């Protein structure tokens, strides 16, 4: 019987064409506008007290650059509710910014492709070390942490802990995902997703015990997590682009100062 000649299964790698980088830039622009819309809540709203208590008479609104939502304590305010025209304006702003990011991505596509190849190689080296990732173990660990946290929260009974989940949630999730060493990035995404669901469920349960309406809890998670995650990702991307631009300029300067090096 002839030996099996089955080829090893090839893993999907991120696309490196100009279209891929333009799409990523477009997505980044829309995500940035979404983050700015979420963060605008803290500038357009009188107080965040309504996020931890449903009994506050606070006028709330959000939207950037145009206001897309307003909830007023006065029921006769005709401007309250969603503004679909403002949603279109903000979406168009995201597309315009995304187009700019996409053009930048195309300009630096060769440098970005090198960075992407280095990143994938590092992760392949980590995966080849044989790190065993157990979903069941992660679920057990997450369940234990959730139970412990819920006991502490139930004992303290203070609404300020909701603010901790709203504003420290992204840092907690990132720390949990980055804690194990030598793990492939796809496994970290799984950890992040499971921990995110667990933390949202914990916030919903705790809000219910305090009498905070579910929509208040979900609004707090949206404005807190989306604004932090989007702006943080934007700053990382900008710093990466600046680093590549400086490195490329230094490389070009070195090549121009040593023209004979290309002849050897």
């Amino acid at each position: 019987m002839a030996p099996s000649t089955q080829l090893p299964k090839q893993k999907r790698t991120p696309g490196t064409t100009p279209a891929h980088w333009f799409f990523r830039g477009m997505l980044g622009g829309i995500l940035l506008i979404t983050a700015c819309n979420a963060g605008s809540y803290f500038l357009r709203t009188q107080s965040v007290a309504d996020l931890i208590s449903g009994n506050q008479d606070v006028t709330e609104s959000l939207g950037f650059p145009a206001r897309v939502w307003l909830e007023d304590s006065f029921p006769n305010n005709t401007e309250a509710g969603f503004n679909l025209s403002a949603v279109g304006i903000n979406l168009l702003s995201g597309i315009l910014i995304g187009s700019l990011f996409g053009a930048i991505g195309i300009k630096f596509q060769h440098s970005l492709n090198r960075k992407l190849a280095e990143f994938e190689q590092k992760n392949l080296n980590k995966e080849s070390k044989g790190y065993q990732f157990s979903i069941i173990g992660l679920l057990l660990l997450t369940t234990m942490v959730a139970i412990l946290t819920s006991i502490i929260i139930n004992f303290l009974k203070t609404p300020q802990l909701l603010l901790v989940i709203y504003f420290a949630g992204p840092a907690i999730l990132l720390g949990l995902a980055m804690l194990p060493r030598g793990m492939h990035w796809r496994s970290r995404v799984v950890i992040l997703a499971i921990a995110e669901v667990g933390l949202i469920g914990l916030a919903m349960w705790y809000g219910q015990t305090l009498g905070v309406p579910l929509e208040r809890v979900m609004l707090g998670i949206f404005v807190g997590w989306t604004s932090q995650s989007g702006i943080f990702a934007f700053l990382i991307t900008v710093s990466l682009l600046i680093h590549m631009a400086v490195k490329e300029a230094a490389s070009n300067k070195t090549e121009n100062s040593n023209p004979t090096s290309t002849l050897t």
Side-chain angles (χ1 to χ4, degrees):
M1 185 176 181
S4 175
T5 58
Q6 185 178 2
L7 295 175
K9 184 180 178 180
Q10 293 186 352
K11 296 183 178 181
R12 292 181 59 185
T13 56
T16 57
T17 64
H20 283 103
W21 288 115
F22 184 82
F23 174 77
R24 291 179 185 126
M26 179 67 69
L27 184 61
I30 294 176
L31 290 176
L32 177 61
I33 283 294
T34 303
C36 291
N37 273 271
S40 67
Y41 175 88
F42 304 106
L43 298 176
R44 292 182 177 272
T45 301
Q46 298 171 350
S47 171
V48 297
D50 206 30
L51 296 177
I52 58 176
S53 175
N55 300 321
Q56 302 290 330
D57 291 331
V58 176
T59 300
E60 299 174 290
S61 65
L62 60 82
F64 178 83
R67 186 178 65 190
V68 299
W69 172 73
L70 171 67
E71 182 172 303
D72 202 335
S73 56
F74 299 98
N76 295 327
N77 191 340
T78 57
E79 296 182 357
F82 282 97
N83 188 337
L84 294 180
S85 300
V87 172
I89 293 173
N90 294 350
L91 181 59
L92 180 61
S93 301
I95 292 174
L96 292 175
I97 295 175
S99 300
L100 175 62
F101 288 171
I104 294 174
I106 293 175
K107 177 177 175 59
F108 292 101
Q109 62 176 314
H110 299 298
S111 299
L112 289 169
N113 287 339
R114 286 196 297 269
K115 288 286 184 183
L116 188 61
E118 293 173 3
F119 177 75
E120 284 293 316
Q121 186 59 44
K122 288 180 181 179
N123 279 278
L124 285 175
N125 293 336
K126 291 178 180 179
E127 196 174 29
S128 64
K129 293 178 181 178
Y131 186 95
Q132 297 296 321
F133 173 66
S134 171
I135 296 291
I136 296 177
L138 174 62
L139 285 172
L140 290 174
L141 176 62
T142 306
T143 303
M144 289 174 60
V145 171
I147 292 174
L148 236 129
T149 308
S150 63
I151 292 174
I152 296 172
I153 286 176
N154 196 37
F155 177 75
L156 294 176
K157 285 282 186 179
T158 170
Q160 281 74 19
L161 285 176
L162 268 181
L163 294 178
V164 174
I165 297 177
Y166 295 157
F167 299 111
I172 295 172
L173 294 173
L174 184 62
L176 185 59
M178 299 303 295
L179 187 61
R181 294 189 176 184
M183 182 177 287
H184 195 275
W185 67 268
R186 291 186 179 90
S187 300
R188 298 188 188 278
V189 170
V190 175
I191 294 177
L192 196 61
I194 295 176
E196 182 178 355
V197 172
L199 196 57
I200 290 175
L202 185 63
M204 292 169 62
W205 168 80
Y206 186 52
Q208 186 179 13
T209 61
L210 294 174
V212 181
L214 177 61
E215 63 269 16
R216 299 286 95 195
V217 176
M218 298 310 296
L219 177 63
I221 290 175
F222 170 71
V223 299
W225 292 16
T226 306
S227 57
Q228 291 181 74
S229 303
I231 294 174
F232 186 63
F234 171 73
L235 292 177
I236 291 177
T237 304
V238 169
S239 63
L240 177 63
L241 290 175
I242 293 175
H243 173 73
M244 288 190 301
V246 171
K247 190 174 180 179
E248 188 172 346
S251 177
N252 293 337
K253 184 178 180 180
T254 303
E255 290 178 0
N256 293 334
S257 61
N258 300 292
T260 57
S261 61
T262 56
L263 302 177
T264 59

